[in-house]
């Protein structure tokens, strides 16, 4: 099992953060502008783990050189079933330097947006304290 998948499935936020490059760019499924940097990305991912229920990866896809991965997941948020995919790119040191998330359906994306919006003050504090 890929170390990122294992860290997320074990809800090991320290291990997830250790896999992030300092200059990682996180592209959210519900925010227009990407977030740059390890501190904010790690804080967002901790927030996601707080709002997702019944999270599990159902498929892992990797390119032959191992630098690009897609992790398909299911979860629920706010009573809505959600399907999504984490698209990760790894730099030369094996750290995630690009992290894009896509989710469906729209009703679940809206529930995720609301749940994460409620978390964002805490996320901002966590990122500033890093």
């Amino acid at each position: 099992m890929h170390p990122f998948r294992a860290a997320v499935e074990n809800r090991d936020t320290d291990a997830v953060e250790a896999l992030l490059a300092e200059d990682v760019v996180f592209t959210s499924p519900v925010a227009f502008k990407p977030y740059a940097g390890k501190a904010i990305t790690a804080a967002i991912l901790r927030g996601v783990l707080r709002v997702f229920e019944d999270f599990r990866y159902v498929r892992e896809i990797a390119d032959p050189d191992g630098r690009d991965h897609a992790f398909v997941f299911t979860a629920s948020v706010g009573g809505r079933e959600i399907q999504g995919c984490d698209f990760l790119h790894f730099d030369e040191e094996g750290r995630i330097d690009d992290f894009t998330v896509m989710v469906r359906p729209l009703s679940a994306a809206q529930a995720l947006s609301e749940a994460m919006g409620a978390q964002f003050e805490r996320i901002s504090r966590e990122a500033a304290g890093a």
Side-chain angles (χ1 to χ4, degrees):
M1 179 181 298
H2 192 278
F4 173 80
R5 180 177 179 172
V8 172
E9 288 182 346
N10 290 321
R11 303 181 75 81
D12 184 346
T13 56
D14 291 336
V16 171
E17 186 170 355
L19 289 168
L20 299 174
E22 290 297 327
D23 62 347
V24 63
V25 175
F26 178 81
T27 304
S28 164
V30 296
F32 176 74
K33 184 178 168 187
Y35 297 92
K38 183 175 184 173
I40 188 66
T41 300
I44 290 169
L45 295 175
R46 286 190 299 272
V48 168
L49 287 174
R50 288 190 296 266
V51 302
F52 274 163
E53 301 167 9
D54 304 319
F55 180 90
R56 67 186 180 95
Y57 284 115
V58 295
R59 191 197 281 152
E60 181 178 333
I61 305 162
D63 73 342
D65 73 5
R67 295 199 46 206
D68 289 290
H69 286 264
F71 297 92
V72 180
F73 64 84
T74 62
S76 61
V77 61
R80 302 279 185 189
E81 294 297 316
I82 192 166
Q83 294 175 318
C85 191
D86 294 335
F87 296 97
L88 308 181
H89 181 268
F90 292 81
D91 64 16
E92 296 80 21
E93 287 81 41
R95 302 256 189 299
I96 300 165
D97 61 1
D98 188 69
F99 193 132
T100 299
V101 181
M102 293 187 183
V103 297
R104 65 162 306 279
L106 179 59
S107 61
Q110 290 168 328
L112 177 60
S113 179
E114 290 172 18
M116 289 301 291
Q119 291 278 320
F120 226 81
E121 185 176 322
R122 178 176 176 180
I123 288 169
S124 296
R125 283 193 317 269
E126 288 179 8

